[in-house]
Amino acid sequence: MPATVQSFIAQGAQMFFVLAIAPAVTGITRKVKARLMRRRGPSIFQPYRDLLKLVRKESVLAPNATWFFRSAPYMIFAFTWVAAALVPTLASGLMFNWAADVVALVALIGAARALLALAAMDAGTAFGGIGSSREMMIASLAEPASLLVALTIAFAAGTTRLPEVAQFLISQPIEIRVSFALAFVALVIVAMAENARIPVDNPATHLELTMVHEAMVLEYSGRHLAMIEAAGHLKLTLYISLIICLFLPFGMAPFDGSAAAWAIGIGTYLAKLVLAAVALGVWEVSIAKMRVFRMSEFLGGAFIFAFLAILLEFLSREVQR
């Protein structure tokens, strides 16, 4: 089989694999949280059932909602899916690796966020405005930190393309670099904020004083809400995959590798995902939701960690010259 066809098939397999397992990642986190709180909790497959139920329901629209309100969920889902598919997960050397640039990834995530915020305001409700303003405040604090993390890795690897970064890190000896450790902490904080997780947001509550993401999607129902929920599952998997790719890339199979190499790649990736989902559940049970006006302090910490990371990486390179 020609290498181009193999690469195309591998790229497609990764896209649909990420789409298929994304709800299960959310389900594992919910299950872990429930068990730690001594509850039985829903099945890890409950997010799939929720999505199926929403798709079957009729979408109810506000009388003043425009075409943008109706089309935004599909665009948000598409942007998020493309971003999630670009992150190397199972294998390297895929067809669209040339587009897997971390700056492009931040732009795709930012575009999806902007669409959601604009759609929330389209219906003209107070909750939509509150959620959008809070989401934009979080984004203004999280995006600079995420870009500094990307630049830190780019300084070390000499590129911002994720597949090449992963190959660079795999080729390096196993060691703890302070700059990477700081960048890891910063990216984890950004991931929690971007995915509306505790302590920044709590997707399980609808409290007016604290909710952010849920305030923006209150007006959605039926298949539109299913698209947004599916995009949320994909976004969580995207950030976990991005952290794995940047800091724990070992185990990926070449796109033209043997069946055993692919089995190792899939198994390693799934193991990392499960560990990350369990760790997220343990973390969310261990802490409380913070007040809205303290988010700037929390995300400011991410910016400081990311700034120190890039500063240390730059100084270490200057010393080595």
Side-chain angles (χ1 to χ4, degrees):
M1 184 182 296
T4 307
V5 177
Q6 275 186 291
S7 179
F8 180 78
I9 294 174
Q11 181 71 66
Q14 175 174 293
M15 286 185 69
F16 286 98
F17 185 79
V18 171
L19 179 65
I21 63 170
V25 175
T26 305
I28 292 171
T29 302
R30 290 176 182 171
K31 188 72 174 180
V32 170
K33 289 172 64 176
R35 298 301 294 174
L36 289 176
M37 290 188 284
R38 298 189 177 184
R39 293 190 286 110
R40 184 175 180 181
S43 164
I44 62 172
F45 299 108
Q46 187 61 41
Y48 295 97
R49 300 183 186 123
D50 293 340
L51 290 176
L52 186 61
K53 178 183 68 178
L54 289 172
V55 169
R56 289 174 176 172
K57 283 189 172 182
E58 180 186 0
S59 294
V60 179
L61 298 172
N64 55 339
T66 67
W67 64 268
F68 184 79
F69 184 83
R70 295 190 296 273
S71 56
Y74 301 101
M75 292 188 286
I76 292 167
F77 176 79
F79 281 142
T80 310
W81 190 16
V82 170
L86 290 180
V87 179
T89 54
L90 308 175
S92 59
L94 304 180
M95 173 167 276
F96 297 137
N97 274 358
W98 58 271
D101 192 285
V102 69
V103 178
L105 208 65
V106 173
L108 283 170
I109 297 170
R113 182 195 304 110
L115 285 171
L116 182 59
L118 290 173
M121 292 189 291
D122 185 83
T125 63
F127 281 118
I130 290 172
S132 298
S133 63
R134 289 174 179 173
E135 181 74 10
M136 289 299 104
M137 180 195 73
I138 292 172
S140 66
L141 297 169
E143 281 189 0
S146 58
L147 284 173
L148 284 179
V149 170
L151 291 176
T152 302
I153 304 300
F155 257 127
T159 178
T160 56
R161 292 174 58 191
L162 290 171
E164 294 178 9
V165 170
Q167 288 301 320
F168 168 79
L169 294 174
I170 290 173
S171 65
Q172 297 296 304
I174 298 176
E175 60 181 2
I176 297 177
R177 298 171 68 159
V178 178
S179 58
F180 278 26
L182 291 171
F184 172 78
V185 175
L187 188 56
V188 169
I189 294 174
V190 168
M192 284 189 284
E194 292 278 11
N195 288 282
R197 311 301 306 191
I198 298 174
V200 178
D201 192 8
N202 187 355
T205 67
H206 290 77
L207 184 61
E208 179 184 351
L209 292 175
T210 60
M211 65 180 175
V212 180
H213 178 77
E214 290 301 313
M216 292 190 293
V217 303
L218 277 179
E219 295 298 318
Y220 278 112
S221 59
R223 62 182 181 278
H224 295 141
L225 184 57
M227 288 289 103
I228 293 177
E229 291 291 327
H233 300 321
L234 276 170
K235 192 174 181 181
L236 179 60
T237 306
L238 183 163
Y239 268 95
I240 294 175
S241 300
L242 182 61
I243 291 171
I244 291 172
C245 176
L246 292 180
F247 300 102
L248 298 167
F250 60 86
M252 281 194 291
F255 77 92
D256 55 351
S258 62
W262 270 88
I264 292 173
I266 293 172
T268 307
Y269 176 60
L270 287 177
K272 294 173 189 172
L273 272 184
V274 171
L275 285 175
V278 171
L280 178 61
V282 174
W283 163 260
E284 290 196 329
V285 170
S286 306
I287 58 170
K289 166 80 174 64
M290 68 171 57
R291 297 176 183 177
V292 173
F293 64 83
R294 293 197 62 190
M295 290 180 188
S296 57
E297 299 174 15
F298 185 66
L299 290 169
F303 182 83
I304 291 172
F305 282 129
F307 179 76
L308 290 175
I310 194 170
L311 183 63
L312 282 175
E313 189 62 35
F314 178 76
L315 291 176
S316 63
R317 286 176 65 87
E318 289 298 316
V319 169
Q320 291 173 0
R321 286 182 180 178

